[in-house]
Amino acid sequence: MIKIMLIAGARPNFMKIAPIARSFNKTNEIEYKILHTGQHYDQNMSDIFFEELGIRNPDYHLGAGGGTHAQQTAKIMVQFESICENERPDLVVVVGDVNSTLACSIVAKKMHIKVAHVEAGLRSFDLTMPEEINRMVTDSISDLFFVTEEQGMVNLKKEGKPDSSIHFVGHVMIDNLYYQLAKLGKMPPETFKTTEYKQHHTRYGVVTLHRPSNVDDKNTLEVVIDSLSSISRTLPLIFPIHPRTRKNLETFGIKPAETITLTDPLSYMEFLNLWKDSVVALTDSGGLQEETTALGIPCLTLRENTERPITVTQGTNELVGTSKEKLMVNFEKIMAGNWKTGRKPDLWDGQAAERITDTILAS
């Protein structure tokens, strides 16, 4: 029996560990526990949330909360060390690139517990992004690397990781996307509040915007909102707005056009019901770049770089930065029907978690 600790720090992390937990449930050779660090408080994470994901509630909840990067990381490390002393897992599985990923990896490694990193090898090569530092440090000490795209393998090999520890398995986020789509398809449309918007707008775009580089600087945020407002006069936009972004819009006195519908943050299923039928996604999110590629939906990413290059080279994503000119040129291509069709990347077939489980059992 292999004892495993599955780590999640924020809602998107649970989308990634859920397929792994569901896969672990199919074998009697793994005993696992789910640990929620509480890095992000999210009122949508109720019992129903975990039921939707097909997993049990976390076995541990650290309630780490906010604070600076150092404070948050330190709180997680102190509490996780105590849990590891009691549980003595054989393997700690971390996902993504949040502070919880970094903190739990360091604790496990110093306690001589093996670490597996899911979504390993992704690189933006932008050290101003805290996520990039988390990715690099976590990969520097991990034992097993589960890779979502071929460029991740290239990056890890350049960093000297042995071939035997690198495993190209596909993407658990896409596993979960297909799982949730299947559930959504069995539910009446009126279940979702976002269906009302869709009934009034046969064609629309969706917006997500939360990265500090885009929303913390007044001039940058003004340019982005002006660009989105221009687009919305041709194609209505709906914008589930991150609390940080809403606060800065109010602080800076920036008002989006009335053709942009602002909503509170949406649950995963509500948002999926919305964006799966959109004409375009305009985002600075990492996950949405990948999910739109999986479903073949045009995506314009408001960043200068991406740690997910396959969404550009093979998928339906394009980097436009915060340049209004570049954004409008690409938007007009989409509206004219001249957008690249893209293709689904290799192994994005909904079976990544099974490959991860098989690899762990064989290790």
Side-chain angles (χ1 to χ4, degrees), residues 167-178:
H167 304 276
F168 178 33
V169 295
H171 202 341
V172 290
M173 194 74 169
I174 305 306
D175 289 14
N176 194 65
L177 171 63
Y178 295 154

Side-chain angles (χ1 to χ4, degrees), residues 17-277:
I17 70 162
I20 303 172
R22 294 193 296 262
S23 178
F24 285 174
N25 289 338
K26 298 173 186 176
T27 175
N28 58 9
E29 296 179 62
I30 290 175
E31 176 190 323
Y32 73 93
K33 293 196 174 172
I34 298 173
L35 183 140
H36 179 17
T37 67
Q39 178 176 328
H40 294 160
Y41 170 74
D42 190 328
Q43 61 186 4
N44 289 316
M45 288 181 63
S46 61
D47 291 350
I48 294 172
F49 170 81
F50 296 105
E51 187 179 320
E52 280 185 349
L53 289 175
I55 62 172
R56 65 174 186 257
N57 287 343
D59 300 280
Y60 292 98
H61 193 302
L62 303 188
T68 66
H69 287 283
Q71 290 169 337
Q72 191 177 75
T73 303
K75 281 188 282 188
I76 294 168
M77 290 179 72
V78 169
Q79 294 184 73
F80 185 55
E81 182 179 54
S82 177
I83 289 169
C84 284
E85 285 174 348
N86 291 329
E87 290 285 348
R88 285 291 164 183
D90 301 302
L91 180 69
V92 168
V93 176
V94 295
V95 297
D97 51 23
V98 297
N99 288 341
S100 302
T101 309
L102 172 70
C104 293
S105 299
I106 292 173
V107 169
K109 198 64 179 176
K110 287 196 171 187
M111 296 182 73
H112 309 293
I113 300 166
K114 286 187 176 181
V115 176
H117 185 200
V118 177
E119 283 189 309
L122 297 181
R123 298 288 181 271
S124 67
F125 302 104
D126 180 357
L127 289 175
T128 66
M129 294 176 64
E131 297 92 344
E132 181 71 356
I133 295 166
N134 292 343
R135 286 189 285 265
M136 292 174 68
V137 175
T138 299
D139 281 342
S140 72
I141 59 175
S142 292
D143 300 281
L144 288 172
F145 305 92
F146 293 118
V147 181
T148 61
E149 58 176 86
E150 291 173 5
Q151 186 58 46
M153 297 176 70
V154 172
N155 293 337
L156 290 169
K157 289 177 182 180
K158 282 183 178 177
E159 292 169 10
K161 305 301 183 292
D163 289 355
S164 59
S165 64
I166 302 171
H167 304 276
F168 178 33
V169 295
H171 202 341
V172 290
M173 194 74 169
I174 305 306
D175 289 14
N176 194 65
L177 171 63
Y178 295 154
Y179 179 87
Q180 303 296 150
L181 274 174
K183 292 196 74 168
L184 189 149
K186 297 173 185 175
M187 300 169 74
E190 58 270 20
T191 304
F192 304 102
K193 295 177 183 177
T194 45
T195 296
E196 183 178 352
Y197 180 87
K198 293 166 70 175
Q199 289 170 340
H200 289 91
H201 301 85
T202 54
R203 287 170 61 80
Y204 59 89
V206 297
V207 178
T208 72
L209 197 67
H210 73 281
R211 291 194 178 273
S213 58
N214 281 335
V215 305
D216 286 359
D217 179 78
K218 181 181 180 181
N219 292 335
T220 302
L221 189 56
E222 277 181 335
V223 171
V224 169
I225 296 300
D226 177 59
S227 302
L228 295 174
S229 295
S230 295
I231 285 172
S232 71
R233 296 182 184 104
T234 301
L235 180 75
L237 298 178
I238 181 166
F239 185 1
I241 191 163
H242 191 281
R244 179 191 199 117
T245 309
R246 185 184 289 277
K247 177 177 177 292
N248 286 341
L249 287 176
E250 293 170 356
T251 300
F252 299 145
I254 301 170
K255 293 187 177 180
E258 292 182 0
T259 38
I260 300 178
T261 300
L262 302 181
T263 77
D264 289 332
L266 299 174
S267 69
Y268 183 85
M269 291 288 274
E270 281 282 5
F271 189 49
L272 176 58
N273 180 57
L274 188 66
W275 72 257
K276 74 180 179 67
D277 296 313

